[in-house]
Amino acid sequence: MDDPAIPQSFPLDHLAERGAAGDPALVLRDRTLTYAELREAVAKLAGWLAGHAESGDRIASWAAKGELTCLLPLAAARAGMVHVPINPLLKRAQAAYILEDSGARMLIGTPARLATLAEGDVPPDCSTFGEADCLAEAARAGAQIGPSQRDTGELAAILYTSGSTGAPKGVMLSHANMWLGAVSVARYLRLQSDDVTLAVLPLSFDYGQNQLLGTWYAGGRVVPLDYLFARDVAKACARHGVTTLAAVPPLWTQLVEAPWSEDAIAPLRRLTNSGGALTITLVRQLRTLFPQADLYPMYGLTEAFRSTYLDPALVDTHPTSMGEAIPYAEIFVVRESGEICRPNAEGELVHCGPLVAQGYWRDAERTAERFKPAPPASKYGGMAVYSGDHVYRADDGLLYFVGRRDAMIKSAGNRISPQEIESAATGSGHAAEAVAFGVPDEALGHAIHLVVRAPVEGADGDALAKALAAQLPGFMQPHVIHWCSDMPRNPNGKIDRAALIEKYAA
């Protein structure tokens, strides 16, 4: 697909204005909001926010999918504030870090999650509100804010993603970043106003949030779903006539094994995948189960939202390819010297263009490491994201993934910092030293392995596992824990991670 001219950007909250007034926009458990009702709800929530915080303030949410988490991205933007969605799977320690790092002035969450926060977890100048109370007060309030005319370069959201040095990084996204991301995805997925998107991915992820934004740009309807079992997804597809389903490889693995009725299969027009590569086996299973649906393998990174997609027409013949650049993205394969690689030569994927984020929140050092001037050959210029992922471009122009440059673990669609797991292990008192790494796994992408040297002889493995379960969310839990009496060292006295991986990953 040729890269079109960049369309005019609008403030993010204008996405609520895209659909026809009487068409359904958001299907909740107890009711469905039309676009007219969505506009009113966004206007009221924005007005309520304006009465409790100032322009530029960070507004954090920590709740499951529902009315609040779907409305806040637009309502906070309309009020001139910055939305900070916290993954509902995170535990209190991670939530507390995000609140402190972002300087959040307000936290809206479910009472059960708020109740887990300990003294000192919420900054002194951060107000907390229950999700239901917030929505009820906003609905009663008379103040409403209409579509904004904000500068599209203003900060609209901070999405936190794991960092290779342990602490999560807040990726700063402008109105234009998020608006053009919605335009781009709606364009290459060919979304229409009669499309129904089942939103099963966390709305704290860029991939998950675009389920909302891309669908609303096209004037379609979104059905948020927090599922317990894969069969719940299949049932929801049948119940709502879902046409668009986005998932990550581990979920697809579960879905192809779930029972699917013809009522669930027939309406599906497109399947999208990101957060890890599909195996050839899984591609064939999906193509067999959903022969009428287009399959879109995609590659993305939060710092630039999304970079590539593979045209469904090429999936059967090129199942392992990352495809080519999405609209409004420019992708280079670059050598360490800065030169553009020749075809079939391995290099780092560099993303240029208007989807590139504004950097990391309050972290100039890590911003400088990842965000650098675009290669001279770029038609966009400006800053580019140097992904840390090694790829190559084949003679036909299609891209192929080779591997990561750093030690980040990619498991079940999540980017996980080894250091964060290691710190939790040593901080538990049950490990003197710990090293975490990913081992290739067909279902997960990477299985998490943790090598531990105990502080005393006869350490209790169950106690360590319980401590990690209390400190870390489920997707960060080690799948395998190895115990050793001593850690190998390199000539500098540091733990030899490569030796451990070679020994335990075999």
Side-chain angles (χ1 to χ4, degrees):
M1 181 182 294
D2 293 333
D3 194 5
I6 298 176
Q8 181 183 0
S9 293
F10 289 89
L12 181 61
D13 62 278
H14 284 227
L15 288 174
E17 315 299 312
R18 293 286 300 176
D23 286 351
L26 182 62
V27 181
L28 302 170
R29 289 184 178 182
D30 58 344
R31 68 194 193 284
T32 296
L33 300 184
T34 64
Y35 271 91
E37 292 167 330
L38 174 67
R39 290 163 193 158
E40 182 179 13
V42 169
K44 287 184 174 181
L45 183 54
W48 182 85
L49 290 171
H52 290 80
E54 302 293 332
S55 180
D57 282 349
R58 275 73 62 204
I59 309 300
S61 60
W62 193 24
K65 289 192 207 77
E67 184 175 358
L68 174 79
T69 49
C70 291
L71 295 180
L72 262 181
L74 303 191
R78 178 166 294 187
M81 298 166 192
V82 182
H83 184 212
V84 183
I86 301 175
N87 188 337
L89 297 178
L90 296 182
K91 299 292 181 73
R92 54 155 288 271
Q94 290 86 34
Y97 173 85
I98 291 173
L99 292 174
E100 175 65 29
D101 186 71
S102 67
R105 298 301 300 272
M106 184 187 297
L107 169 63
I108 308 171
T110 49
R113 288 181 175 84
L114 298 179
T116 67
L117 294 169
E119 184 177 356
D121 285 347
V122 180
D125 56 353
C126 180
S127 303
T128 59
F129 295 87
E131 176 182 16
D133 293 339
C134 165
L135 291 172
E137 289 182 19
R140 290 194 301 267
Q144 297 188 31
I145 300 178
S148 74
Q149 300 301 320
R150 312 204 71 84
D151 182 340
T152 58
E154 285 184 22
L155 188 62
I158 303 175
L159 302 187
Y160 276 81
T161 181
S162 288
S164 58
T165 58
K169 303 172 293 187
V171 179
M172 300 188 293
L173 299 175
S174 68
H175 287 254
N177 288 148
M178 301 177 76
W179 174 274
L180 287 175
V183 176
S184 177
V185 172
R187 185 175 189 273
Y188 73 76
L189 292 185
R190 302 179 179 89
L191 294 174
Q192 304 296 324
S193 60
D194 63 346
D195 272 311
V196 182
T197 297
L198 187 65
V200 300
L201 299 171
L203 301 181
S204 55
F205 291 175
D206 55 333
Y207 184 20
Q209 197 161 116
N210 193 264
Q211 297 167 116
L212 292 174
L213 307 184
T215 302
W216 283 344
Y217 177 82
R221 79 183 75 171
V222 177
V223 183
L225 178 70
D226 283 318
Y227 63 93
L228 290 176
F229 305 103
R231 63 174 179 268
D232 298 332
V233 175
K235 290 178 180 178
C237 286
R239 184 163 60 252
H240 298 287
V242 169
T243 64
T244 306
L245 183 59
V248 294
L251 177 55
W252 285 125
T253 299
Q254 297 175 48
L255 290 176
V256 296
E257 297 172 353
W260 285 81
S261 68
E262 183 57 31
D263 288 343
I265 293 174
L268 281 168
R269 299 172 181 171
R270 63 189 66 79
L271 314 172
T272 75
N273 176 77
S274 193
L278 294 170
T279 63
I280 294 177
T281 298
L282 194 50
V283 168
R284 289 172 178 165
Q285 289 174 321
L286 289 170
R287 298 287 293 121
T288 300
L289 182 58
F290 307 104
Q292 83 295 345
D294 288 333
L295 177 58
Y296 288 84
M298 306 182 303
Y299 163 91
L301 62 161
T302 307
E303 292 85 351
F305 166 60
R306 190 158 307 148
S307 297
T308 71
Y309 82 104
L310 182 64
D311 189 310
L314 301 175
V315 168
D316 290 334
T317 54
H318 300 78
T320 61
S321 174
M322 298 164 57
E324 57 186 353
I326 69 171
Y328 320 125
E330 185 180 35
I331 304 301
F332 291 98
V333 183
V334 179
R335 299 171 58 183
E336 288 189 12
S337 63
E339 298 175 347
I340 306 301
C341 291
R342 300 185 304 276
N344 301 305
E346 177 185 329
E348 183 176 6
L349 184 148
V350 176
H351 180 130
C352 311
L355 298 178
V356 172
Q358 296 183 336
Y360 298 125
W361 174 256
R362 292 177 174 173
D363 195 335
E365 182 177 352
R366 287 200 287 186
T367 295
E369 291 174 355
R370 183 59 62 91
F371 295 84
K372 303 174 185 178
S378 171
K379 65 182 178 183
Y380 291 112
M383 299 304 288
V385 176
Y386 286 68
S387 69
D389 287 341
H390 282 203
V391 304
Y392 70 90
R393 193 189 303 271
D395 291 326
D396 58 7
L398 294 178
L399 292 156
Y400 291 83
F401 184 81
V402 177
R404 283 204 58 79
R405 183 180 61 188
D406 58 30
M408 291 294 290
I409 301 168
K410 195 70 170 285
S411 182
N414 300 285
R415 293 179 72 241
I416 300 167
S417 163
Q419 191 178 76
E420 196 164 355
I421 301 172
E422 294 159 7
S423 296
T426 55
S428 71
H430 301 291
E433 293 179 305
V435 172
F437 52 87
V439 174
D441 181 275
E442 184 167 313
L444 296 169
H446 280 118
I448 302 171
H449 284 232
L450 180 66
V451 181
V452 173
R453 180 174 69 81
V456 294
E457 187 175 347
D460 188 344
D462 289 339
L464 174 60
K466 289 178 181 178
L468 293 176
Q471 291 290 322
L472 298 174
F475 63 82
M476 287 189 186
Q477 298 299 320
H479 299 97
V480 181
I481 298 179
H482 308 275
W483 294 85
C484 66
S485 58
D486 194 23
M487 292 282 193
R489 309 280 172 177
N490 62 26
N492 295 324
K494 297 181 179 180
I495 295 176
D496 191 338
R497 301 178 68 93
L500 287 173
I501 293 172
E502 182 178 358
K503 178 177 180 180
Y504 291 104

